[in-house]
C-alpha cells in the first residue's frame, strides 16, 4: 500500500514534511495528530518509512458485497483496525485495547485526540480517554503531529480532492513516564491530553477551542436546523401574503367606479 497509495500521493500532492527525525526508526510510539480531513490517515503514513496503524469504524470492514470486500481490503492494507463504535464506552475500551496491542508489537499507533474531524479548521479539546490511557499503560512516547491544509484538499463531504501541497509537522517525542501506573486518574489523563494538544497547537498554528469538536458539530447542526426552519417559516409567510394580495385584487376591481 505504501507503493500503490503512498507513492502516487507523494507524486501528485508533493507534501512537505518537517521533523521526520523525531519518528523512531524502530520501537513503539504514538503519533497524536490534529484531524482536518479524511485524507490525514493517508498522507501521514505516506511520508513515513514505517507502518502506522489507525482506528477505523467497523462498518468499513463489514459492508456486504464486492464493494464492501474491496473497501475492507483497502482499509486493512493501509493499516486501519476495525472498532465497533456501537456504545460509546465499549468503543472507547476497544480502541484502547487495540492501541495497546499495536504498541506491544513494537509498532506505530496513530490517534486523533479530538476524536473526530474539526468542523471548521480550528483545534478542539482533546478527549482524555484513549490517547492518555494508551500512553500510560504502555509507556510509549507520544509524538505530536500537525497536519497542515489537508482540509483544503478534501473538505468534509467532497469526494474529488483538489491538487495542492499539504504539510506535516512532527514534533519531538513527549515522555509521560512520570505518570506511569496512573492511567485511571482522570486528572492525570486530562493533564497528559492537554499537554499533547498544546504541542499540536504550537506545531499547527491553529486557533484552539476549549470544547469538544463533537459538541461544536452538534451546535452547528442545531443552528443549521434552526436556520432552515426560519427560512421555511419566512417562505410560508411570503406565500400566504402573496395569496392574500391576489385575493384582494379582484375585490378592489369590483369596488372601483
Amino acid at each position: 500500500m505504501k507503493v500503490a497509495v503512498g507513492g502516487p500521493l507523494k507524486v501528485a500532492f508533493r507534501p512537505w514534511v518537517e521533523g521526520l527525525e523525531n519518528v523512531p526508526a524502530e520501537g513503539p510510539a504514538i503519533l497524536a495528530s490534529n484531524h482536518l480531513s479524511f485524507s490525514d490517515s493517508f498522507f501521514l503514513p505516506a511520508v513515513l518509512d514505517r507502518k502506522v496503524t489507525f482506528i477505523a469504524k467497523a462498518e468499513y470492514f463489514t459492508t456486504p458485497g464486492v464493494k464492501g470486500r474491496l473497501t475492507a481490503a483497502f482499509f486493512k492494507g493501509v493499516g486501519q483496525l476495525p472498532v465497533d463504535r456501537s456504545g460509546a464506552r465499549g468503543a472507547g475500551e476497544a480502541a484502547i485495547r487495540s492501541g495497546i496491542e499495536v504498541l506491544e508489537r513494537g509498532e506505530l499507533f496513530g490517534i486523533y485526540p479530538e476524536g473526530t474531524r474539526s468542523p471548521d479548521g480550528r483545534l478542539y479539546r482533546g478527549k482524555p480517554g484513549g490517547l492518555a490511557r494508551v500512553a500510560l499503560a504502555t509507556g510509549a512516547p507520544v509524538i505530536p503531529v500537525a497536519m497542515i491544509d489537508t482540509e483544503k484538499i478534501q473538505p468534509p463531504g467532497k469526494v474529488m480532492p483538489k491538487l495542492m501541497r499539504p504539510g506535516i509537522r512532527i514534533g519531538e517525542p513527549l515522555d509521560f513516564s512520570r505518570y506511569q501506573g496512573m492511567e485511571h486518574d482522570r486528572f492525570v489523563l486530562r493533564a497528559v491530553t492537554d499537554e499533547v494538544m498544546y504541542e499540536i497547537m504550537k506545531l499547527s498554528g491553529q486557533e484552539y477551542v476549549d470544547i469538544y469538536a463533537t459538541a461544536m458539530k452538534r451546535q452547528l447542526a442545531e443552528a443549521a436546523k434552526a436556520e432552515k426552519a426560519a427560512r421555511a417559516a419566512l417562505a410560508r409567510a411570503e406565500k400566504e401574503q402573496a395569496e392574500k394580495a391576489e385575493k384582494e385584487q379582484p375585490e378592489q376591481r369590483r369596488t372601483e367606479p
Side-chain angles (χ1 to χ4, degrees):
M1 280 297 176
K2 282 191 175 292
V3 174
V5 178
L9 275 180
K10 288 191 286 186
V11 170
F13 294 95
R14 300 179 298 115
W16 56 265
V17 189
E18 297 176 359
L20 271 177
E21 68 279 3
N22 292 322
V23 180
E26 58 183 20
I30 301 169
L31 298 175
S33 173
N34 60 338
H35 198 13
L36 298 173
S37 169
F38 175 77
S39 60
D40 294 337
S41 298
F42 302 110
F43 279 112
L44 179 56
V47 301
L48 300 177
D49 293 331
R50 299 181 60 186
K51 175 184 176 181
V52 184
T53 300
F54 287 90
I55 295 296
K57 59 184 179 181
E59 288 86 344
Y60 288 142
F61 299 83
T62 58
T63 303
V66 175
K67 181 179 179 181
R69 289 195 295 272
L70 291 174
T71 301
F74 175 78
F75 277 94
K76 289 176 182 176
V78 296
Q80 305 278 324
L81 279 178
V83 171
D84 185 359
R85 298 186 182 184
S86 58
R89 184 173 181 81
E93 293 298 325
I96 290 168
R97 288 195 302 271
S98 298
I100 291 174
E101 290 171 1
V102 170
L103 294 167
E104 287 178 342
R105 296 197 299 264
E107 301 174 2
L108 298 177
F109 178 61
I111 190 169
Y112 301 113
E114 292 168 280
T116 186
R117 280 176 282 179
S118 170
D120 54 15
R122 296 185 293 177
L123 184 67
Y124 285 82
R125 194 181 196 199
K127 294 189 173 183
L131 166 64
R133 283 183 60 187
V134 171
L136 298 184
T138 61
V142 179
I143 302 173
V145 177
M147 307 300 295
I148 312 285
D149 290 336
T150 53
E151 82 282 9
K152 298 175 183 177
I153 291 176
Q154 191 179 30
K158 298 293 183 180
V159 177
M160 295 301 296
K162 177 182 178 182
L163 284 177
M164 59 176 292
R165 294 189 72 186
I168 303 172
R169 287 197 182 99
I170 304 172
E172 296 182 1
L174 303 174
D175 178 18
F176 294 107
S177 58
R178 62 190 183 275
Y179 297 125
Q180 203 71 33
M182 304 175 69
E183 60 266 26
H184 297 294
D185 187 318
R186 62 188 181 93
F187 296 105
V188 170
L189 296 179
R190 172 48 59 192
V192 169
T193 305
D194 287 347
E195 183 174 340
V196 174
M197 298 309 295
Y198 179 71
E199 294 300 321
I200 293 175
M201 181 186 69
K202 290 197 299 182
L203 291 169
S204 68
Q206 291 171 279
E207 177 187 350
Y208 179 75
V209 185
D210 195 25
I211 63 172
Y212 293 124
T214 49
M216 176 55 72
K217 286 184 175 181
R218 283 196 299 271
Q219 292 179 18
L220 292 174
E222 290 170 0
K225 184 178 179 180
E227 183 180 355
K228 183 179 179 180
R231 288 199 302 267
L234 178 61
R236 285 195 302 270
E238 291 176 345
K239 182 180 179 181
E240 291 173 358
Q241 186 175 5
E243 291 174 348
K244 182 179 179 182
E246 188 176 348
K247 290 179 180 179
E248 290 176 349
Q249 285 178 358
E251 294 179 1
Q252 290 176 353
R253 285 196 293 266
R254 286 197 301 269
T255 57
E256 287 177 357

